[in-house]
Amino acid sequence: MKIVVINGSPKGNKLSFTMQYIYYAQKMFPHVEFNLINIGQKLNNMKIKEETFQEILKEMDSADCILWCFPVYVFLVPAQLKKFIELLFENNAGEMLEGKVSGVLSTSMNFFDNTAFDYMHAIIEDLNMKYTGFFSNNSFDFNKVERRKTFYTFIKNILTAIEDQLPTPKRFNPLIYRKNFAFTPSEVLDEHKLDSNGKKIIIITDNINDNSNLGKMIRKFKDSFKNEINVYNIESIDMKGGCISCLTCGYDNQCIYNDEYPDFIRNKLRNNDIIVYALTLKDRYFTSRYKQFVDRAFFNGHTPITEGVQMCYLLSGSLSQIENLRQIIMALSEIGGGNLVDIITDEFGESEEINDFIYNMAKKALDFSKSGYIQTPTFNSVGGYKIFRDMIYGLPGVLFQADYQFYKKRKMFDFPKNKLSYRIMRLVFKSKKARVYFKKKMFKIFIRPYDKFFENLDVEQEITEFGI
């Protein structure tokens, strides 16, 4: 029995946390051949020789199972593995891989690993393979017996699926792209053009064709303003390779690569009021080039780059069929401290409607920026922040010194305090009478601060305090 392991870690085999589980599987299942392909290393500069790629395809064709392994990078697989997946689709590998058993193994701090798994689940089905499940490895949990037991069962389940040729249910529908729709941007009259009033607005795009729907959507957004808006194409940014998680940046946010990327982030992306991402959907995400652009921001650690920024998206593709991607977009905006204004696609509506959508998004972004509006936090940012807080306070904080100092300065190590008053209350609540009494008074007690607030509310003073 042969399992081909597609290792998306840029570190290769020996230094990868993820691969330690594969070595464990080799010990526990000696009758199984585990063939490791370090695709993360081979594609670090996002290029691969055709001869090498064809050899990998032959190896995958000879396998009984494809096991995808990777560290989670920014809610997804690393850019290097994303590029490999794109190459598989471009070479119609779904025909070759049809019916093969496939599973997913990842390493992370359990921060949005669910979106990475959903992405890979859909990709596996798009490649006509049988999805058997995932194993989420916390980087420092290998020494736990229960975690190794779970992994053992995970591999055993894969072997059973191979031996018994078990069918697996489908979860995702194939993507259907809108055909033959050409967006036509309308002209914005001078009297309707928006004045940015000094607000800094930029567009980040991967568009390579000004006459594509995306190119014309960009033109419409720019034409909505009186002022000139800078457009930066990520294809023209010098990036010598993908993030390799070397952690060199952990101490002082200095990237190991000597290229244009860090300077672009510091001097072009930072300190804007409105950022528009104009992107093309490819498979079930954006392009691998954009993923490389996002991954490389790791040199800035776990500190926000887009704090207080209004975030807008112009997309070409079938977003409504990829709910996982919408969740990623929403979470990225929120966790980065920004505000997601809107997402406009060319998937629905005619040109007239889309023109209105784009103009209205531009106007709303400007209004929000003037008022300083940021959407209230949800689980995305609250839960994500607490994972980072706990991580940086612990052992990883020794490596990520820049993160630690940022969190400390902002007093973000706000762990729950075991106050004396709480301990006394817990003792009191051991009494049944106390619990019954509190239940009767509970909501009145909770609402009391609101009652006092409304008694003293001065509406005019309140609006003045808003500064609007």
Side-chain angles (χ1 to χ4, degrees):
M1 195 176 296
K2 182 177 179 179
I3 296 178
V4 166
V5 177
I6 302 297
N7 177 20
S9 172
K11 295 187 181 72
N13 287 341
K14 294 184 178 179
L15 299 179
S16 166
F17 281 110
T18 317
M19 287 300 101
Q20 305 313 307
Y21 276 86
I22 298 301
Y23 300 145
Y24 177 72
Q26 289 175 326
K27 297 286 187 183
M28 300 300 288
F29 301 94
H31 64 288
V32 178
E33 178 185 351
F34 289 86
N35 193 339
L36 278 58
I37 298 176
N38 295 318
I39 203 66
Q41 280 189 331
K42 293 179 186 296
L43 271 163
N44 190 48
N45 64 357
M46 309 301 280
K47 296 177 182 177
I48 190 169
K49 293 180 179 178
E50 180 61 23
E51 181 183 352
T52 303
F53 180 71
Q54 291 301 325
E55 288 174 359
I56 293 171
L57 286 184
K58 287 180 183 178
E59 191 63 29
M60 294 174 73
D61 188 27
S62 69
D64 297 296
C65 168
I66 308 298
L67 185 57
W68 306 84
C69 303
F70 55 89
V72 175
Y73 281 13
V74 195
F75 302 25
L76 209 77
V77 302
Q80 298 90 328
L81 180 53
K82 175 69 170 64
K83 178 65 176 179
F84 180 67
I85 289 169
E86 291 176 3
L87 291 172
L88 290 177
F89 285 113
E90 289 168 13
N91 286 268
N92 298 314
E95 296 177 10
M96 174 194 76
L97 298 171
E98 185 171 2
K100 289 189 185 296
V101 171
S102 192
V104 180
L105 163 65
S106 84
T107 302
S108 70
M109 301 302 291
N110 299 124
F111 178 80
F112 281 92
D113 52 353
N114 59 308
T115 51
F117 290 133
D118 274 359
Y119 170 77
M120 282 308 307
H121 185 162
I123 291 299
I124 287 168
E125 290 189 359
D126 289 344
L127 289 169
N128 302 316
M129 294 189 287
K130 298 177 180 178
Y131 178 77
T132 58
F134 67 86
F135 179 84
S136 181
N137 165 40
N138 188 295
S139 302
F140 303 103
D141 280 356
F142 184 75
N143 62 341
K144 295 179 180 178
V145 174
E146 284 301 316
R147 186 54 62 97
R148 296 198 303 274
K149 177 183 175 183
T150 303
F151 180 70
Y152 177 84
T153 305
F154 167 74
I155 295 294
K156 198 171 181 180
N157 178 59
I158 289 176
L159 300 180
T160 301
I162 296 171
E163 291 169 352
D164 298 343
Q165 288 297 298
L166 299 177
T168 55
K170 287 273 189 178
R171 177 180 166 189
F172 297 94
N173 287 320
L175 295 177
I176 301 173
Y177 295 95
R178 185 182 191 184
K179 296 179 181 178
N180 304 320
F181 172 69
F183 170 65
T184 303
S186 62
E187 183 181 355
V188 180
L189 298 175
D190 287 344
E191 59 265 31
H192 293 149
K193 286 183 182 287
L194 304 168
D195 190 337
S196 64
N197 287 317
K199 295 294 182 182
K200 296 180 181 178
I201 307 170
I202 65 167
I203 298 174
I204 305 292
T205 186
D206 58 7
N207 179 61
I208 55 175
N209 180 2
D210 289 343
N211 290 319
S212 65
N213 281 353
L214 185 60
K216 289 183 283 188
M217 290 165 79
I218 293 171
R219 192 190 316 162
K220 172 65 181 183
F221 185 90
K222 290 181 65 181
D223 193 43
S224 299
F225 288 87
K226 298 176 183 178
N227 323 84
E228 184 63 28
I229 295 174
N230 290 323
V231 178
Y232 299 103
N233 197 308
I234 60 175
E235 295 290 341
S236 64
I237 301 171
D238 174 34
M239 291 188 284
K240 288 187 165 44
C243 178
I244 58 174
S245 192
C246 63
L247 304 186
T248 302
C249 57
Y251 182 72
D252 56 4
N253 296 146
Q254 297 299 315
C255 186
I256 195 172
Y257 285 113
N258 183 22
D259 57 20
E260 292 178 355
Y261 181 81
D263 181 68
F264 178 86
I265 296 299
R266 294 186 180 109
N267 298 316
K268 300 290 194 303
L269 188 67
R270 276 189 181 278
N271 302 318
N272 289 289
D273 299 294
I274 300 170
I275 298 177
V276 180
Y277 287 99
L279 304 169
T280 306
L281 274 66
K282 194 161 188 176
D283 57 66
R284 293 180 181 265
Y285 186 71
F286 304 117
T287 64
S288 55
R289 178 67 174 182
Y290 173 74
K291 188 61 171 63
Q292 183 185 23
F293 177 84
V294 172
D295 287 355
R296 285 287 304 275
F298 186 65
F299 85 90
N300 195 65
H302 304 91
T303 58
I305 296 174
T306 56
E307 194 170 35
V309 175
Q310 301 299 322
M311 314 291 285
C312 302
Y313 282 81
L314 297 172
L315 305 181
S316 181
S318 304
L319 181 65
S320 71
Q321 301 170 53
I322 318 172
E323 185 57 34
N324 191 53
L325 179 54
R326 181 177 288 274
Q327 182 182 351
I328 290 172
I329 292 171
M330 293 170 65
L332 272 172
S333 300
E334 191 176 335
I335 288 167
N339 179 61
L340 178 59
V341 178
D342 215 337
I343 305 172
I344 309 299
T345 77
D346 61 355
E347 182 181 11
F348 300 120
E350 299 306 317
S351 292
E352 184 179 354
E353 289 178 289
I354 296 174
N355 277 300
D356 288 342
F357 294 155
I358 294 173
Y359 180 83
N360 291 339
M361 180 175 72
K363 186 177 185 304
K364 189 160 61 169
L366 195 57
D367 290 342
F368 283 168
S369 184
K370 289 175 182 176
S371 66
Y373 175 79
I374 299 292
Q375 177 64 53
T376 51
T378 67
F379 174 80
N380 287 332
S381 59
V382 176
Y385 150 67
K386 289 186 177 180
I387 287 177
F388 279 151
R389 177 198 66 183
D390 295 355
M391 181 189 73
I392 292 166
Y393 191 75
L395 176 61
V398 177
L399 299 174
F400 294 102
Q401 284 286 322
D403 286 346
Y404 183 86
Q405 295 304 324
F406 176 87
Y407 272 54
K408 185 178 179 181
K409 185 177 180 180
R410 294 219 178 174
K411 298 180 180 179
M412 296 170 73
F413 295 124
D414 54 345
F415 302 99
K417 304 293 191 299
N418 190 11
K419 293 182 178 180
L420 177 61
S421 58
Y422 296 161
R423 294 202 295 270
I424 293 171
M425 287 292 288
R426 288 191 184 96
L427 288 173
V428 170
F429 267 64
K430 288 185 177 182
S431 164
K432 186 177 179 179
K433 287 183 178 180
R435 294 196 300 273
V436 170
Y437 175 80
F438 184 76
K439 186 177 179 180
K440 290 180 181 178
K441 303 287 185 180
M442 179 169 57
F443 292 108
K444 287 185 178 179
I445 293 171
F446 289 158
I447 292 295
R448 191 175 298 154
Y450 292 91
D451 291 339
K452 290 182 179 179
F453 170 80
F454 286 119
E455 285 176 11
N456 300 307
L457 176 62
D458 183 327
V459 174
E460 291 185 4
Q461 178 64 28
E462 184 82 353
I463 293 174
T464 301
E465 297 234 356
F466 291 160
I468 299 176

